Amino acid sequence: MDEITDVATLRARLRAERASGRSIAFVPTMGYLHAGHLSLVGAARDAADVVVLSAFVNPLQFGPDEDFERYPRDGARDRELARAHGVHIFFAPSVAEMYPESSELRVTAGEVGSRLEGAVRPGHFDGVLTVVAKLFNIVAPDVTCFGQKDIQQVTLVRRMINALDFPIRLVVVPIMREADGLAMSSRNVYLSRSERTTALALWRGLHAAERAWHAGERQADRLRALVEHELGTEPAIAADYVALVDPHQLLPVAQADAGAILAVAARVGRTRLIDNIIFGPPGA
Ligand code: AMP
């Protein structure tokens, strides 16, 4: 595995891969890798010859009161995990390498970026799309892998790929969960033992809604109520939203047809957690 920290070296290395006829799959991350990230690596290996993983905590996507400074980082461990899982190129640039000039220029996520997470984290998705567009231009992959865990990010990256004509195929990878159902996240390390137990209410609620959907329930308010009920059983949870939305505009829908997304965000102590399910036949 090559470890690269500067853009020029990465571009030169990838030029050589392309010249040899090899296809490139790209997995952007903020590091502190877990099994969710590694399932993206597996999908990337299936999709192309060369797997590039970036680990970069992007300051542009953090609000002033958010956790940019304390976001967990462990470069040595990340490199070991990436190497063991078949990543070919590990790209870990510094902030100065990614943003050599201070610039206010952003890719704007627009209306779709102001809903759900965007309503709670103003500007977040402008920061996300700006760094993803930069990384797409640097890596110029054939395929990129993103996780369903960040479903609004998936929707917006898909829209950006279409709107800006990036010739990149987007692969969406299902959510990896701990054995008890908690969606894997780098931020789970913030949870105390009791918060970790409390956090399970998100999955209990989504799982209940999933079971109800398979039993024939389609009404949005009833499906949402199942999640709200589970969150309500935990006084230490503060819900930000429980939303049933369509997958393209992320606008509320009254009826959960296949493809509709049930998304939840909640705070447990100082930690903000998100999770979702997409209704449909298993594995669809
Ligand atoms: P992050 O490092 O949190 O920015 O995540 C990098 C990529 O990994 C994003 O595409 C995430 O959606 C994806 N990801 C994060 N957690 C999971 C998970 N539990 N299962 C699958 N993919 C995930």
Side-chain angles (χ1 to χ4, degrees), residues 102-180:
S102 85
S103 166
E104 289 171 358
L105 199 141
R106 296 285 183 278
V107 177
T108 55
E111 278 285 301
V112 180
S114 67
R115 299 182 181 133
L116 304 178
E117 285 302 281
V120 185
R121 308 181 67 186
H124 169 66
F125 288 111
D126 294 359
V128 169
L129 291 186
T130 301
V131 80
V132 171
K134 283 170 67 76
L135 290 165
F136 281 177
N137 282 324
I138 292 166
V139 178
D142 300 281
V143 181
T144 188
C145 299
F146 280 77
Q148 180 198 322
K149 166 84 182 354
D150 299 276
I151 190 67
Q152 188 169 11
Q153 174 169 277
V154 164
T155 300
L156 288 164
V157 168
R158 181 184 294 120
R159 292 174 72 92
M160 179 178 77
I161 285 175
N162 292 335
L164 301 186
D165 297 298
F166 282 104
I168 302 173
R169 181 162 72 86
L170 174 63
V171 172
V172 182
V173 177
I175 301 174
M176 286 284 284
R177 300 181 178 280
E178 306 286 357
D180 57 12

Side-chain angles (χ1 to χ4, degrees), residues 10-70:
L10 180 64
R11 279 192 202 276
R13 169 69 205 273
L14 290 172
R15 229 180 348 258
E17 296 289 356
R18 249 176 255 113
S20 315
R22 285 194 276 275
S23 57
I24 296 163
F26 175 47
V27 179
T29 81
M30 297 205 296
Y32 211 69
L33 301 183
H34 53 66
H37 298 116
L38 299 172
S39 76
L40 303 193
V41 169
R45 289 178 57 185
D46 291 343
D49 302 316
V50 179
V51 175
V52 181
L53 181 137
S54 64
F56 177 63
V57 185
N58 172 36
L60 259 49
Q61 70 192 66
F62 288 78
D65 299 326
E66 293 183 3
D67 56 347
F68 173 70
E69 295 296 340
R70 72 180 188 117

